[in-house]
Amino acid sequence: MVQVTTTDRRGVLRAGAGLVAGGALAAGCSSAGTAPHPAASDTSPGSPSGPSTDGASGSPRSAAHASAAPAPRAFPGQPAQISHGPRDKPHVALTFHGQGDPALARTLLTTAEKHGARVTVLAVGTWLDAHPEMARRILDGGHDLGNHTQRHLSVNDMSEADARAEITGCADRLQRLTGSIGTWFRPSRAVTASPLVERLARVAGYPHVLSYDVDSLDYTSPGAAAVTRNVLSAIRDGSVVSLHFGYPGTATALPDLLTELDRRGLRAVTTTELLS
């Protein structure tokens, strides 16, 4: 008969524990294997190489794992569709349609922050799908983040069901990424929302639709000088300016635009601050 020493017995116990743990791990990996976004490419929370993620789905962590973003709020005395803020304060809101090259978006955000400015980003849902890390980047910079529909189609021309899906689709993505549906809704491919879209936005949780009173026309790629000129010729106290991510001319124009706003005594703030 083979004598089992105390040391041998401990080794057997360790080996058995390892087999049990290994079986549990294998079962967990098997159950997560059907997830649409494999967790193998995800990084740990706080890693500079990418956003933190939920292990099972591989999608970016929600506000349960990070500070939740602000929710939409009603501003008493303001209309259902807001195109500008108070005209008696030297504040303006620069609002960006959130779509396009994320590197260019980061450049614009960094430029604003270096000038002490805060902006409002109305993100497109498909853009968030492709670049989910941008949601936290925007919020961590102190900016407003809102909803600009899921696919950036002409939402005013859609059926009720399709328009609802465009609004709630983007809202759901914002909720998953930040813990909030975003502070603002802006209709895609329209300055103002149709009565139907306005109603659907309100049902989705947005007390107001965000419009604007100054159009930079940067999406026509007129060049940086023209973008700056278009904004400065029309901006005044309380203005809400329409700009876009994804256009190099906008990124080139922003430093001069912010410098001139400072010279005029106009402070670029988030839309929430503009109306508060």
Side-chain angles (χ1 to χ4, degrees):
M1 181 176 63
V2 178
Q3 182 178 4
V4 179
T5 66
T6 301
T7 301
D8 292 336
R9 187 177 295 109
R10 288 173 181 169
V12 170
L13 291 173
R14 290 195 190 100
L19 289 172
V20 172
L25 179 60
C29 291
S30 175
S31 65
T34 57
H37 303 292
S41 63
D42 299 334
T43 58
S44 60
S47 168
S49 60
S52 59
T53 59
D54 288 318
S57 66
S59 58
R61 291 186 185 272
S62 68
H65 305 80
S67 58
R73 55 180 284 199
F75 291 89
Q78 291 292 338
Q81 301 204 46
I82 296 173
S83 61
H84 63 82
R87 297 297 193 187
D88 59 350
K89 295 180 181 178
H91 292 172
V92 297
L94 304 182
T95 67
F96 288 84
H97 300 235
Q99 199 173 23
D101 182 1
L104 202 54
R106 292 187 191 96
T107 296
L108 285 158
L109 293 170
T110 300
T111 298
E113 291 154 12
K114 286 180 177 178
H115 281 77
R118 295 296 179 265
V119 304
T120 301
V121 180
L122 293 312
V124 176
T126 54
W127 186 67
L128 292 174
D129 288 340
H131 311 289
E133 74 283 355
M134 290 304 302
R136 293 308 317 185
R137 169 63 184 88
I138 292 162
L139 292 170
D140 289 347
H143 310 288
D144 271 358
L145 178 62
N147 178 335
H148 197 36
T149 74
Q150 176 59 20
R151 297 176 294 164
H152 200 260
L153 304 176
S154 184
V155 68
N156 283 348
D157 297 329
M158 292 181 175
S159 68
E160 180 171 348
D162 288 345
R164 180 185 295 110
E166 284 294 309
I167 297 168
T168 59
C170 187
D172 289 346
R173 281 153 178 80
L174 287 166
Q175 180 73 47
R176 186 175 68 247
L177 291 169
T178 73
S180 166
I181 63 172
T183 46
W184 298 99
F185 168 75
R186 173 173 287 170
S188 49
R189 299 188 182 275
V191 178
T192 58
S194 67
L196 171 63
V197 170
E198 179 187 316
R199 176 173 64 81
L200 292 173
R202 186 168 58 253
V203 170
Y206 302 97
H208 304 279
V209 172
L210 182 59
S211 183
Y212 49 88
D213 65 326
V214 177
D215 192 346
S216 69
L217 299 175
D218 59 347
Y219 61 90
T220 66
S221 297
V227 171
T228 303
R229 185 167 57 251
N230 291 339
V231 173
L232 294 177
S233 65
I235 200 168
R236 59 191 180 111
D237 290 1
S239 282
V240 176
V241 183
S242 172
L243 295 151
H244 293 74
F245 286 166
Y247 292 89
T250 307
T252 303
L254 191 59
D256 288 343
L257 176 58
L258 291 170
T259 297
E260 179 60 19
L261 291 179
D262 286 342
R263 192 190 69 79
R264 296 185 184 187
L266 292 173
R267 183 179 170 216
V269 299
T270 65
T271 306
T272 299
E273 185 176 352
L274 180 73
L275 296 166
S276 296

